Amino acid sequence: MPLHMIKLAVGATCLQDLLDWHEHQASTRQNLGLAPRPVCDTRMTPKRRDEVLDGGSLYWVIKGQILVRHPIEDIVTLEDGTGKTRCEILLQHDPIQTVPQRCSAFQGWRYLLAKDAPPDHKNLEGGEGLSEPLRQELFKLGAW
């Protein structure tokens, strides 16, 4: 069973904000001669890296709810030349919307066990193609 990670999408007010940010990242990386892909930068490298790379995803919390996940392709630790390190979590291009799930605020990132992760939205009967506002409203009404 894969081990996932969860992180707050700080500054994002909706799913489109996160997608726009990742598009900007991909463009910036391409201009620098790097692979154009979404990346999550963080200070700490996961100690359970191998478990996360065995099919794990990065689940994003937007305004107190998990709304989307990105499958993780790799986790790379980089050094800046002064001995300080940082971590890049390399993500697949296409995010997968999830059933909204409430989540309290926290700092940094956390591990997320597969049993605690929300199911993918596309796995819900009749849920394909719903707009984010409609999904939010259905969640508030208790439909999910």
Side-chain angles (χ1 to χ4, degrees):
M1 197 173 299
L3 181 65
H4 304 293
M5 297 175 69
I6 184 170
K7 184 162 176 42
L8 299 180
V10 178
T13 59
C14 65
L15 178 57
Q16 191 59 49
D17 287 347
L18 179 68
L19 299 177
D20 290 347
W21 170 244
H22 285 153
E23 188 63 35
H24 172 74
Q25 277 185 314
S27 175
T28 300
R29 288 177 59 86
Q30 186 171 27
N31 291 339
L32 294 171
L34 302 170
R37 63 175 335 117
V39 173
C40 175
D41 288 308
T42 184
R43 189 169 51 96
M44 302 298 292
T45 300
K47 295 189 184 338
R48 298 173 69 181
R49 178 183 182 275
D50 291 340
E51 292 174 79
V52 172
L53 291 178
D54 189 23
S57 291
L58 180 61
Y59 284 77
W60 291 100
V61 179
I62 301 171
K63 295 198 66 136
Q65 294 182 46
I66 299 171
L67 295 178
V68 67
R69 70 179 178 91
H70 269 100
I72 297 173
E73 288 190 357
D74 201 1
I75 299 173
V76 180
T77 302
L78 304 169
E79 191 173 322
D80 71 359
T82 66
K84 292 183 181 179
T85 61
R86 65 181 179 85
C87 175
E88 281 189 346
I89 302 170
L90 306 175
L91 307 170
Q92 289 184 8
H93 287 281
D94 296 321
I96 300 166
Q97 289 188 330
T98 66
V99 173
Q101 178 175 305
R102 287 189 179 91
C103 183
S104 300
F106 57 90
Q107 291 184 348
W109 55 265
R110 300 285 183 266
Y111 291 115
L112 179 65
L113 300 175
K115 68 178 184 66
D116 298 327
D120 292 348
H121 185 265
K122 66 182 178 184
N123 292 340
L124 293 177
E125 188 175 317
E128 301 84 9
L130 293 179
S131 68
E132 186 177 346
L134 180 55
R135 287 177 34 155
Q136 294 288 338
E137 191 61 31
L138 289 170
F139 180 72
K140 288 177 191 172
L141 294 171
W144 283 316

